């Protein structure tokens, strides 16, 4: 691992050693020179098909993924930890199983997970600095990934406790956008998004508590699915960030994102939320029918006066016109968001406080995190219970768009702005960071309060070549409809054919 600084070897469950690097700490703004980059990996479904057809091996795919990660780590800095030795051993075992005729949905396919997700033998830093011990067991989502045959090659960078729409921090430096390394890939699942967009892995898991899958998907030209609350288990957490946060896939195509969703979906016995199963991959192959689509430009109240950047508005307008050309009825509408932010803030800050309080060295946390910890501690208890009690009324009020007005899908920009430059949020106070964040990303978080599904789809590029996205939002348990509609758009626009110049 010559291109990055490895951490000390950590003992794995098997008693051998595992390199938990690379970890890159950048002292300057500019990206470091990179080694030659191997070719991009094929997508998730294509990788699985090639493995089943014996036209490639898991060992070759995993080795290529590891080489590509190392070659791009100095510039993109997508990964916090690699499982190089274990991943190669698991790939060799997958090759033996494939040769013996075993078939599983993802047998031998390399994938990555975000660093808020427990992987046995690795620490779960969740973007924080400090020495944390390796965890003893996999999260339920990773357990299901392994059961589907996937090889987890490493854990991707996240901002500290997933709070911000950028992936930068003193613990690991800055994760950069493969479309333009002067800009952020978004956050908090920025490492996963950068890794998939750059072709380091075919697909990756992220998590979304206020848009943290959809925002980086929008800013890196990916499909990102925020599923229904409970669709993918967050265990060992029972109700992550007071019910705001869910896990979700990032991929270059709808079919790949749906395949990953099917592989990890399902509840742990201790989970609170248990929506009925969906068949996402089948939905990606199904015509959505003619739908009534509401186009909303006005975001929820954020007190910033934010509206979409003209280039974002142009791109989303073009997407709406494509939907109309495909036979859907599209008209502008205004969801009745009300004062939904009053329900979001107590839940979000209480969730941050719960995670921050478990850190063994609180002094290492970002001052903005410590501010959120104090706010969350004050707003915990009664305020959080009141905020959660409002959810039923919020379902009725906002759900009237679907129930009373008869719309099937809500279309909005995913973000109000294109991806900001690296360092845009440096040295801001907690309040100024929140204001800047709300101005750039006012559209995504209400669906976390509601617990309903949403899908980011690529909407095109600014004139300077930066990606922007649009989100397809639906009522409770509407993933299949949203996925079918996204797949129809993809068939027409073929956004997967455009790749970043990594």
């Amino acid at each position: 691992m010559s291109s990055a600084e490895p951490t000390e070897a950590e003992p794995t469950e098997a008693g051998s050693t595992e390199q938990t690097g690379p970890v890159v700490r950048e002292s300057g703004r500019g990206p470091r020179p990179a080694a030659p980059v191997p070719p991009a990996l094929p997508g998730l479904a294509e990788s699985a098909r090639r493995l089943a057809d014996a036209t490639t091996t898991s060992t070759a795919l995993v080795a290529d993924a590891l080489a590509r990660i190392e070659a791009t780590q100095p510039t993109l800095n997508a990964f916090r930890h690699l499982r190089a030795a274990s991943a190669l051993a698991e790939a060799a075992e997958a090759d033996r199983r494939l040769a013996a005729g075993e078939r599983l949905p993802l047998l031998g396919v390399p994938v990555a997970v975000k660093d808020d997700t427990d992987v046995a033998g690795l620490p779960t830093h969740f973007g924080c600095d400090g020495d944390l011990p390796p965890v003893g067991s996999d999260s339920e989502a990773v357990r299901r990934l392994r059961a589907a045959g996937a090889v987890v090659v490493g854990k991707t960078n996240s901002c500290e406790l997933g709070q911000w729409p950028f992936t930068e921090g003193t613990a690991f430096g800055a994760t950069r956008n493969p479309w333009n390394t002067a800009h952020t890939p978004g956050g908090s699942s920025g490492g996963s998004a950068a890794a998939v967009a750059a072709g380091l892995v075919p697909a990756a898991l992220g998590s979304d508590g206020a848009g943290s899958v959809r925002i980086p998907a929008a800013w890196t030209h990916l499909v990102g699915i925020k599923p229904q609350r409970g669709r993918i288990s967050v265990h060992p957490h029972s109700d992550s960030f007071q019910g705001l946060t869910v896990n979700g896939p990032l991929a270059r195509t709808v079919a790949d994102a749906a395949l990953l969703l099917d592989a990890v979906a399902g509840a742990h016995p201790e989970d609170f939320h248990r929506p009925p199963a969906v068949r996402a991959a089948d939905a990606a192959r199904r015509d959505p029918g003619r739908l009534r689509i509401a186009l909303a430009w006005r975001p929820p109240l954020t007190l910033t006066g934010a509206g979409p950047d003209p280039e974002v508005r142009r791109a989303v307008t073009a997407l709406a016109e494509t939907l109309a050309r495909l036979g859907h009825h599209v008209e502008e509408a205004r969801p009745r968001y009300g004062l939904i932010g009053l329900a979001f803030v107590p839940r979000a800050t209480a969730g941050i406080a719960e995670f921050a309080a478990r850190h063994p060295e609180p002094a290492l946390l970002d001052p903005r995190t410590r501010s959120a910890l104090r706010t969350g501690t004050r707003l915990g208890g009664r305020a959080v219970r009141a905020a959660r009690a409002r959810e039923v009324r919020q379902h009725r009020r906002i759900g009237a768009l679907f129930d009373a007005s008869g719309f099937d899908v809500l279309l909005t920009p995913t973000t109000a702005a294109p991806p900001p430059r690296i360092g845009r949020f440096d040295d801001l106070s907690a309040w100024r960071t929140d204001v800047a964040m709300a101005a750039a990303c006012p559209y995504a978080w209400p669906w976390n309060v509601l617990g309903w599904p949403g899908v980011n789809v690529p909407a095109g590029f600014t004139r300077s070549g930066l990606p922007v996205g649009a989100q397809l939002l639906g009522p409770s348990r509407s993933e299949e409809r949203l996925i079918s509609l996204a797949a129809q758009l993809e068939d027409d626009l073929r956004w997967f054919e455009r790749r970043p110049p990594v």
Side-chain angles (χ1 to χ4, degrees), residues 94-350:
D95 286 332
R96 287 190 287 271
R97 294 164 68 185
L98 287 160
E102 186 175 353
R103 295 294 180 266
L104 292 169
L106 299 177
L107 184 54
V109 180
V111 297
V113 301
K114 183 179 177 180
D115 192 33
D116 62 347
T117 304
D118 285 354
V119 175
L122 296 179
T124 302
H125 281 101
F126 202 174
C128 296
D129 206 347
D131 294 323
L132 275 71
V135 300
S137 58
D138 291 331
S139 67
E140 178 66 11
V142 170
R143 187 195 70 78
R144 288 177 177 270
L145 269 180
R146 293 190 195 275
V151 177
V152 178
V153 297
K155 299 180 71 174
T156 57
N157 276 322
S158 163
C159 65
E160 192 167 284
L161 303 185
Q163 301 168 79
W164 306 305
F166 53 88
T167 302
E168 301 163 42
T170 56
F172 59 88
T175 296
R176 296 174 181 274
N177 195 319
W179 293 93
N180 185 325
T181 55
H183 292 258
T184 180
S188 62
S189 305
S192 287
V196 176
L200 314 187
V201 287
L205 274 184
S207 62
D208 191 314
S212 287
V213 162
R214 289 162 290 157
I215 291 166
W219 284 346
T220 57
H221 197 64
L222 296 178
V223 176
I225 301 177
K226 175 219 172 299
Q228 177 77 21
R229 184 183 298 149
R231 178 73 60 213
I232 301 173
S233 176
V234 294
H235 192 271
H237 310 293
S238 59
D239 201 31
S240 188
F241 283 82
Q242 295 295 325
L244 296 177
T245 296
V246 299
N247 293 320
L250 294 116
R252 294 191 295 274
T253 68
V254 176
D256 283 355
L259 177 60
L260 187 55
L261 177 58
D262 280 342
V264 297
H268 184 275
E270 297 176 8
D271 285 347
F272 291 161
H273 309 287
R274 296 169 174 271
V278 296
R279 298 171 67 90
D282 288 349
R285 295 187 288 267
R286 190 163 61 234
D287 188 283
R290 187 174 186 272
L291 302 176
R292 293 193 72 230
I293 300 173
L295 171 60
W297 296 111
R298 185 176 180 177
L301 179 66
T302 60
L303 302 179
T304 64
D309 179 276
E311 295 208 78
V312 172
R313 189 175 184 109
R314 173 184 55 79
V316 177
T317 298
L319 194 78
E321 291 169 349
T322 299
L323 288 166
R325 176 171 53 78
L326 292 170
H328 304 290
H329 174 81
V330 182
E331 67 177 273
E332 292 193 20
R334 282 191 177 183
R336 295 176 55 221
Y337 291 114
L339 298 178
I340 194 169
L342 297 179
F344 174 77
V345 172
R347 293 169 70 170
T349 55

Side-chain angles (χ1 to χ4, degrees), residues 38-50:
L41 265 68
L44 198 70
E46 177 64 14
S47 294
R49 185 192 65 77
R50 293 185 190 183

